Amino acid sequence: MHVVIMGCGRVGSTLAHSLESRGHSVAVIDQDADAFRRLGPDFGGITVTGAGFDGEVLREAGIERADAFAAVSSGDNSNIISARLARETFGVSRVAARIYDPRRAQVYERLGIPTVATVRWTADRMLRHLVPEGTVEIFRDVTSTVSIIEVPVHKDWIGQPLRQLEEYAGSRVAYLTRFGIGTLPTASTVVQEGDQVFMVVTDDIIGSVTSLAAAPPEGGQ
């Protein structure tokens, strides 16, 4: 793949090295030429000085052959403008933008631009560690319809088939974390003590799914 990254801060430079280490070609755009120092002498990709929402700058970075585009500068407006330009003008299929304001993130995701809302993501991750019994959304699709949440389950579900929990709660288990490792459930998976269960929900069923999962199985105590 050829990936174009707008923004050579800590996120952009780290992303560039990660992609390059995986064998992808990378071009990095930044308005400050000094920012490219973060890439170090071993970086083998392209660096382009300029604005990521400038069509000529994007072309110089290889946007016309790009498979993906990441807008990770420090400006919300610049990120979303360049992301929309990459998708709508140059037809890049995989586009993502870093957004600091979560209210903007929700709007742009409805336009089909996947976003990473930095403050919201960090706060949610912290909440998961501080208040593990809370319902925390860890993923939402670009249409803002389907999400994945961590669902605390009643202790009486331990030893019960996971498929029984799915039927009872009315939702599918996306994955579970067991001993700190993400695991995809199978038909024979049984709930074990310490499992963290993550279920796929829509907004209208979050309440019922969480309350049912927090209750004992039918016939339990």
Side-chain angles (χ1 to χ4, degrees), residues 8 30-39 49:
C8 195
D30 201 288
Q31 296 188 72
D32 180 6
D34 289 339
F36 298 130
R37 294 178 182 177
R38 292 189 177 92
L39 295 170
T49 303

Side-chain angles (χ1 to χ4, degrees), residues 18-56:
S18 296
L19 288 164
E20 192 174 50
S21 70
R22 287 168 170 76
H24 303 298
S25 65
V26 182
V28 183
I29 300 170
D30 201 288
Q31 296 188 72
D32 180 6
D34 289 339
F36 298 130
R37 294 178 182 177
R38 292 189 177 92
L39 295 170
D42 297 330
F43 179 66
I46 302 168
T47 57
V48 182
T49 303
F53 46 83
D54 183 319
E56 289 305 313

Side-chain angles (χ1 to χ4, degrees), residues 32-200:
D32 180 6
D34 289 339
F36 298 130
R37 294 178 182 177
R38 292 189 177 92
L39 295 170
D42 297 330
F43 179 66
I46 302 168
T47 57
V48 182
T49 303
F53 46 83
D54 183 319
E56 289 305 313
V57 170
L58 287 169
R59 288 188 180 89
E60 187 177 348
I63 194 69
E64 291 172 317
R65 60 184 175 88
D67 301 287
F69 177 84
V72 292
S73 77
S74 59
D76 281 6
N77 289 335
S78 297
N79 286 343
I80 203 63
I81 290 171
S82 62
R84 293 192 67 180
L85 186 63
R87 167 165 287 179
E88 297 170 11
T89 301
F90 294 101
V92 181
S93 58
R94 298 186 180 188
V95 173
R98 181 188 190 187
I99 302 295
Y100 288 87
D101 185 345
R103 293 169 299 181
R104 290 182 175 182
Q106 293 174 6
V107 173
Y108 294 132
E109 286 195 343
R110 289 188 177 95
L111 295 175
I113 302 293
T115 63
V116 177
T118 308
V119 174
R120 177 183 177 184
W121 186 88
T122 303
D124 281 353
R125 295 295 294 183
M126 289 298 294
L127 183 60
R128 288 186 59 203
H129 292 290
L130 297 174
V131 192
E133 72 275 12
T135 299
V136 180
E137 177 184 301
I138 62 167
F139 167 83
R140 182 169 288 268
D141 83 305
V142 296
T143 66
S144 196
T145 303
V146 178
S147 61
I148 297 176
I149 60 172
E150 181 177 354
V151 179
V153 300
H154 193 277
K155 60 181 179 61
D156 287 355
W157 282 105
I158 296 172
Q160 301 297 322
L162 195 63
R163 65 177 182 276
Q164 183 179 335
L165 172 63
E166 291 180 322
E167 293 172 2
Y168 187 66
S171 177
R172 297 294 299 274
V173 173
Y175 69 97
L176 55 85
T177 299
R178 179 172 292 172
F179 305 122
I181 300 174
T183 303
L184 293 177
T186 66
S188 61
T189 299
V190 172
V191 180
Q192 295 186 12
E193 185 173 1
D195 282 353
Q196 291 176 276
V197 179
F198 299 85
M199 304 189 85
V200 181

